[in-house]
Amino acid sequence: MNTTQAPDRRKYRGVTLVELMVALAIGLLTILAIVQLMSSFGREQRISGSINDVQSSALIALNTISQDVQRAGHTLAHKRLQVCTMFKTNVDGAALADFSTAAVSIVDGGTGPDTLRIRYAESARGDTPVTLEADMTSATADLRIKPADGTYGIHVNDLLLVTNDGNQCTLRKVTAMESGPLWLRAAATASPNFNPATNPDGRVAYTTAANSLVFTLGSLTQRSYSVDATTRILGSRELLDPAGTQNPIAEDIIDLQAQYGITATAASDTVTQWVNASAAPWVTPGPAERKRIKAVRIAIVARTAEPDFRNPSTDEIVLWPEVTTAGAQLSVKRAFTPTGDARRYRYRVLRTVVPLKNLLWADFS
């Protein structure tokens, strides 16, 4: 009799279809959870990185502009230069765009970004002018400088600004200098000269009776800062560059705003009001108004490149806070609230006040 028992098939039973489907579902759910966790973590990393990027970008933009504003007005702050009402500025065959002796000019952008223009010169003579020893016989005649003033600090290719009591100002370029210490020549000959072809028609014949002065500007910087609303890039442009090339400085910048800090009188150094360049007389400040501008207030608004869809922003973004002094309003708040898709981004506002030290040290009496 065969006593061998049949094997228990339950011990060798495989995975049923139901069990397999359950295992697959659990595995898929686990993978999905991991993917969502990694996606959320990655999104948080991108948002955090984008916030850090715009913070750095705004700092770069603000520091670059602030450092330039600190130099504004160098060699241009003398009271005789600040009252120029007529300019002749054709140099090297072309007129200088937007030339002025104003240290800082703000072009109001309305609801869009402002444009900030900064001017300064570099000269060993600083604001110290030289005087004429003799009258110019014509608008193209030589400039004869008094022996006591000398030509120290005047070099070939320097720009000179000649002024008189009539507030007439002519910009001229030194193309060459006579070997002697007294003459800056203007004759169009083979001898050292100011080349009349590179200077404007209708120049003034400056005289000693009109207290004519010659200021050595050396090299002149006229730089414009603005924001491209399409690319969100803040850039600078050299106004002396005929090509007008825009040099990028910082990305993710959506707004640049600036205000003049003005004093009650030209002799005062205390800012009593902040004004936009949107209404007269601050759209184009004249000599009297320029003497009262002693500081500039700048605000930079940066926006993240990465949207945050979970936390739409409804907060008001304040560019200028309201400030009062002794019960009188010093400034007016300027703000905006993001709408539509703009609410999905994070914003950073950096602002600073830059005193115009070259104007504060100038003699405006």
Side-chain angles (χ1 to χ4, degrees):
M1 185 174 86
N2 186 1
T3 60
T4 303
Q5 295 182 352
D8 188 354
R9 294 184 181 275
R10 290 177 298 178
K11 295 181 179 180
Y12 304 99
R13 184 166 60 101
V15 179
T16 66
L17 181 60
V18 173
E19 291 173 332
L20 181 60
M21 292 179 66
V22 171
L24 286 173
I26 293 173
L28 288 173
L29 289 174
T30 303
I31 293 173
L32 181 60
I34 294 173
V35 169
Q36 288 181 334
L37 179 62
M38 294 300 295
S39 176
S40 177
F41 178 76
R43 184 169 56 251
E44 288 293 335
Q45 288 292 96
R46 289 193 302 272
I47 292 173
S48 297
S50 188
I51 292 174
N52 291 334
D53 288 345
V54 298
Q55 182 79 8
S56 299
S57 188
L59 281 171
I60 291 171
L62 197 62
N63 286 336
T64 300
I65 298 176
S66 297
Q67 290 175 10
D68 228 15
V69 173
Q70 289 175 11
R71 305 171 70 182
H74 186 263
T75 314
L76 297 173
H78 194 281
K79 60 183 178 182
R80 284 285 293 270
L81 297 183
Q82 289 299 310
V83 295
C84 288
T85 56
M86 185 275 290
F87 290 104
K88 299 292 185 179
T89 63
N90 191 326
V91 173
D92 290 336
L96 301 186
D98 303 308
F99 179 76
S100 169
T101 52
V104 174
S105 298
I106 301 171
V107 180
D108 185 73
T111 58
D114 290 343
T115 297
L116 187 64
R117 293 172 179 163
I118 299 168
R119 303 176 184 88
Y120 54 86
E122 301 289 349
S123 169
R125 296 191 71 97
D127 289 332
T128 305
V130 295
T131 53
L132 298 183
E133 184 182 38
D135 294 347
M136 295 174 61
T137 57
S138 71
T140 59
D142 300 337
L143 289 174
R144 185 169 180 173
I145 297 172
K146 283 187 176 181
D149 291 341
T151 57
Y152 170 74
I154 303 177
H155 306 284
V156 173
N157 293 324
D158 280 352
L159 294 178
L160 305 181
L161 195 55
V162 191
T163 73
N164 61 18
D165 279 346
N167 299 332
Q168 297 170 308
C169 300
T170 299
L171 195 67
R172 311 185 77 173
K173 185 175 182 180
V174 181
T175 57
M177 293 178 62
E178 188 174 325
S179 57
L182 304 181
W183 289 82
L184 302 174
R185 301 191 65 85
T189 67
S191 62
N193 63 86
F194 288 110
N195 185 351
T198 66
N199 287 286
D201 293 332
R203 291 183 301 274
V204 178
Y206 291 93
T207 64
T208 56
N211 295 316
S212 299
L213 297 178
V214 180
F215 291 85
T216 306
L217 304 185
S219 62
L220 177 66
T221 296
Q222 291 195 121
R223 187 170 292 125
S224 173
Y225 291 93
S226 60
V227 174
D228 188 313
T230 302
T231 61
R232 300 193 304 277
I233 293 178
L234 181 139
S236 67
R237 183 170 64 89
E238 302 299 329
L239 297 179
L240 299 184
D241 178 10
T245 305
Q246 187 82 352
N247 302 307
I249 295 173
E251 298 178 334
D252 301 319
I253 306 299
I254 66 168
D255 203 1
L256 161 66
Q257 293 295 323
Q259 290 180 322
Y260 295 123
I262 63 174
T263 58
T265 64
S268 174
D269 291 340
T270 302
V271 172
T272 57
Q273 188 179 359
W274 294 99
V275 296
N276 294 317
S278 57
W282 304 109
V283 175
T284 308
E289 287 78 31
R290 291 206 304 266
K291 291 180 181 181
R292 296 171 55 196
I293 300 172
K294 301 299 176 66
V296 176
R297 184 162 70 165
I298 305 165
I300 296 289
V301 183
R303 192 189 79 178
T304 59
E306 187 72 22
D308 184 0
F309 293 97
R310 300 168 307 161
N311 299 306
S313 173
T314 57
D315 295 336
E316 184 181 55
I317 298 174
V318 178
L319 277 67
W320 307 122
E322 290 179 335
V323 180
T324 58
T325 301
Q329 184 170 274
L330 182 64
S331 61
V332 179
K333 180 175 68 174
R334 173 165 178 169
F336 68 93
T337 303
T339 59
D341 291 339
R343 297 170 52 206
R344 301 292 183 178
Y345 295 87
R346 303 286 185 88
Y347 296 84
R348 288 289 182 269
V349 180
L350 297 184
R351 57 183 75 89
T352 189
V353 173
V354 185
L356 300 177
K357 60 182 181 181
N358 289 302
L359 301 186
L360 290 168
W361 296 337
D363 179 14
F364 284 145
S365 58

